[in-house]
Amino acid sequence: MKAVKSPQKEVHLKIRKVDFQYSEIPRFYYENNPFSTHFINTLHLLFPDGERFFIDSMIRYKQDIDDPKLKKDIKMFCGQEGIHGVEHEKIVKILTEKGYKTKPFLDIVKGTLKRADKIGTKVAGKSGPLILTVCLEHFTALFAEGMLQNIDISKADPQIAELFQWHAAEELEHKCVAFDLLQEVDGNEYAKRVVLMPIVSFLLYAYIGAGTAYFLTQDRENLEVKKLPQQLNSFVFKFLRQFHSSGVAKWLDFFKRDFHPNHHDNYHLAEAFLEGKRYA
Ligand SMILES: [Fe+2]
Ligand SMILES: [Fe+2]
């Protein structure tokens, strides 16, 4: 069955060559809360290799696509994701310099993605890795919406806040590209993606949870035991709630046969953030 088409306005993607520089970043840079901070730190660790996986899953189709708009969007998507990875790697370097062990977790992520590529291809054919990308891009779009719409960003170190808001804005800009490519290259994509999505969702949260716990364990000397209950409470009932404010219903939309990422009207959040930015 062919192609659910994008029902909304065209977005012209742009590769913004940002080059964020960082001065001292506090240890617990989100609301002085180790739980929220290490949740975010885990995302810094997941993004670079994850985004390289996305790029690889898409450029293998470069020669198969005739539509000039989609061809250009794929190029822009890869450019944006490439720069996201580079920018998050700067934070990984800073975390490593602060004394956090990051390599063991990064190695596990790399290994998992390699296996995901192999197993994805075995289970779903050539489009397997692209389907995994589409599932994960659904998450990045939902997270980006929560980030730009509801997270109390004033509680974060402004340097980290800017990095995540810029990244979130570009995720909303390019949220359709992998999906549109999948529609073009795999006529049986629906059944495959609805089967893979629950597995991808489970693994994503397992890795975020494990990474957060890994950082917290390394920080046990720096935690203030008396404050932990209140900090955990604030992490669970404020931070996580705001981060997931797009809601389960929007996650479930992915399972509708006629779903398209543009059905979630959130591009204006990206436009509002980017307006007036020197790198916009
Ligand atoms: Fe990204
Ligand atoms: Fe993305």
Side-chain angles (χ1 to χ4, degrees):
M1 198 182 100
K2 175 93 169 143
V4 178
K5 278 289 174 192
S6 164
Q8 281 187 38
K9 79 178 202 185
E10 268 190 21
V11 176
H12 294 282
L13 300 178
K14 184 177 168 186
I15 301 170
R16 301 178 179 86
K17 291 182 178 152
V18 299
D19 183 13
F20 296 125
Q21 300 298 323
Y22 298 93
S23 54
E24 186 58 25
I25 297 171
R27 177 172 291 275
F28 300 132
Y29 54 72
Y30 190 90
E31 204 185 15
N32 199 30
N33 187 320
F35 297 100
S36 310
T37 301
H38 287 323
F39 178 96
I40 301 170
N41 280 338
T42 304
L43 298 180
H44 291 303
L45 259 51
L46 289 172
F47 280 132
D49 284 306
E51 290 174 318
R52 276 190 282 271
F53 178 93
F54 298 170
I55 293 169
D56 288 345
S57 74
M58 293 181 67
I59 52 174
R60 65 185 65 174
Y61 285 108
K62 215 168 67 183
Q63 306 306 331
D64 303 344
I65 297 301
D66 298 321
D67 177 354
K69 164 86 168 81
L70 182 56
K71 238 181 158 110
K72 190 176 171 215
D73 283 350
I74 293 168
K75 196 174 155 199
M76 295 290 125
F77 174 99
C78 294
Q80 287 190 338
E81 294 292 34
I83 294 176
H84 298 169
V86 169
E87 290 300 320
H88 285 282
E89 264 168 351
K90 289 182 188 171
I91 306 292
V92 175
K93 187 167 178 275
I94 290 169
L95 292 170
T96 310
E97 285 166 359
K98 277 181 188 283
Y100 290 110
K101 282 186 212 147
T102 54
K103 193 170 176 306
F105 190 81
L106 290 170
D107 286 346
I108 291 171
V109 172
K110 268 191 187 60
T112 305
L113 290 169
K114 231 180 184 173
R115 277 195 297 281
D117 189 86
K118 256 191 183 164
I119 297 168
T121 307
K122 210 172 174 184
V123 170
K126 185 183 173 185
S127 66
L130 178 60
I131 294 169
L132 300 178
T133 296
V134 168
C135 293
L136 287 164
E137 280 285 291
H138 187 55
F139 274 103
T140 55
L142 296 181
F143 291 167
E145 186 181 286
M147 173 82 63
L148 290 174
Q149 192 156 247
N150 288 308
I151 284 257
D152 188 351
I153 210 73
S154 67
K155 291 189 171 153
D157 175 85
Q159 305 168 91
I160 299 289
E162 176 100 18
L163 167 65
F164 268 96
Q165 287 174 300
W166 155 77
H167 189 166
E170 293 198 344
E171 288 304 320
L172 293 185
E173 276 188 336
H174 73 221
K175 66 181 178 175
C176 305
V177 182
F179 189 92
D180 286 341
L181 173 60
L182 181 61
Q183 302 294 311
E184 285 297 318
V185 298
D186 189 343
N188 297 313
E189 60 82 34
Y190 176 73
K192 297 176 189 173
R193 80 176 148 86
V194 296
V195 169
L196 286 173
M197 184 51 142
I199 302 166
V200 169
S201 305
F202 171 77
L203 288 174
L204 177 65
Y205 280 92
Y207 278 82
I208 295 176
T212 307
Y214 183 56
F215 273 116
L216 284 165
T217 319
Q218 293 185 58
D219 246 336
R220 53 193 177 276
E221 306 282 301
N222 299 304
L223 302 176
E224 294 178 72
V225 178
K226 269 190 190 165
K227 290 186 180 170
L228 288 178
Q230 183 275 323
Q231 288 170 331
L232 182 62
N233 184 64
S234 173
F235 168 62
V236 173
F237 294 105
K238 285 188 191 158
F239 178 83
L240 284 184
R241 211 175 249 185
Q242 292 165 0
F243 191 75
H244 293 98
S245 53
S246 296
V248 177
K250 283 191 175 174
W251 177 77
L252 285 170
D253 284 346
F254 188 82
F255 296 88
K256 292 179 181 162
R257 188 169 270 282
D258 65 346
F259 171 73
H260 187 276
N262 262 347
H263 292 160
H264 293 165
D265 182 13
N266 48 23
Y267 177 56
H268 61 280
L269 297 170
E271 285 182 306
F273 171 74
L274 289 167
E275 196 183 353
K277 291 284 170 195
R278 65 190 148 74
Y279 47 77

